[in-house]
Amino acid sequence: MAKRKGYGRVSSRGQEQNGNSLEDQRNKLMEAGCAEEDIVLETYTGTKMDRPKFTKLVDDLREGDTLVVCKLDRFARTVRDGLEVVEELLNRGVKVHILNMGLIEDTPMGNLILTVMLAIAQFERDTIVERTQAGKAVAREREDYKEGRPRKEIPADFMVLLERTLKGELSVANACEELEIHRTQWYRWKNEVSCRA
């Protein structure tokens, strides 16, 4: 039986303030006919198409299914990546429904609309990167400037989850998912805690 499978993504927790929260996306996807168990949500940068949950969702889609996303920028940020995935899905008989655009059809007009919208999404991202670089250049002129992200404090519940992973009660992957962090951050904190001991 064909299913409508939803996908929602944020790059960071900060995006939740801009109306793009995972909860907002889940609600819109459910309103669009996706069952809650058929919705996949993840926190991952939009610049990469090789996102763990997204990749698995795409692999699991079957002929007749529909992939539903709220907005194009939740799906892809570069023209090339977006077109490749949509083309692959359409060739497999999977429909793509972007809620603020409509159903993507495998027609010359459908391909034109998709290409133009993806180009706009990529332009927006490139403009943000350009502004960020310009801001950094100005900031470097200040004496108190420090390169890189501010150091992330280790949350209190990390120690509890670390203890559970060491006892074999919880996998590192599940612990990272609970904390909404990547494995690299997990091991960075683990090494930091070990050095303190």
Side-chain angles (χ1 to χ4, degrees), residues 1-5 60-68 89-96 103:
M1 182 180 169
K3 291 188 172 185
R4 289 177 67 79
K5 297 196 175 186
D60 289 346
L61 288 164
R62 297 290 170 255
E63 186 175 352
D65 288 347
T66 303
L67 172 64
V68 186
L89 292 174
L90 293 176
N91 287 341
R92 285 167 42 194
V94 176
K95 298 172 187 164
V96 179
L103 196 64

Side-chain angles (χ1 to χ4, degrees), residues 88-127:
E88 178 201 331
L89 292 174
L90 293 176
N91 287 341
R92 285 167 42 194
V94 176
K95 298 172 187 164
V96 179
H97 186 184
I98 298 167
L99 296 182
N100 69 341
M101 283 178 60
L103 196 64
I104 303 298
E105 295 178 341
D106 191 14
T107 63
M109 183 57 74
N111 290 329
L112 173 64
I113 291 168
L114 178 64
T115 303
V116 169
M117 296 304 287
L118 282 167
I120 291 169
Q122 183 172 343
F123 171 75
E124 287 175 349
R125 184 192 166 273
D126 292 345
T127 303

Side-chain angles (χ1 to χ4, degrees), residues 37 41 54 113 171:
E37 64 270 17
L41 304 171
F54 179 75
I113 291 168
S171 70

Side-chain angles (χ1 to χ4, degrees), residues 139-176:
R140 281 191 195 99
E141 301 297 319
R142 296 198 321 259
E143 290 181 20
D144 61 340
Y145 176 76
K146 289 182 181 175
E147 188 70 49
R149 294 182 180 177
R151 186 178 164 277
K152 230 178 182 181
E153 291 298 319
I154 299 176
D157 48 353
F158 170 76
M159 295 306 294
V160 176
L161 295 174
L162 176 61
E163 189 68 30
R164 289 182 62 197
T165 61
L166 294 173
K167 288 179 180 175
E169 299 172 358
L170 183 71
S171 70
V172 170
N174 287 340
C176 289

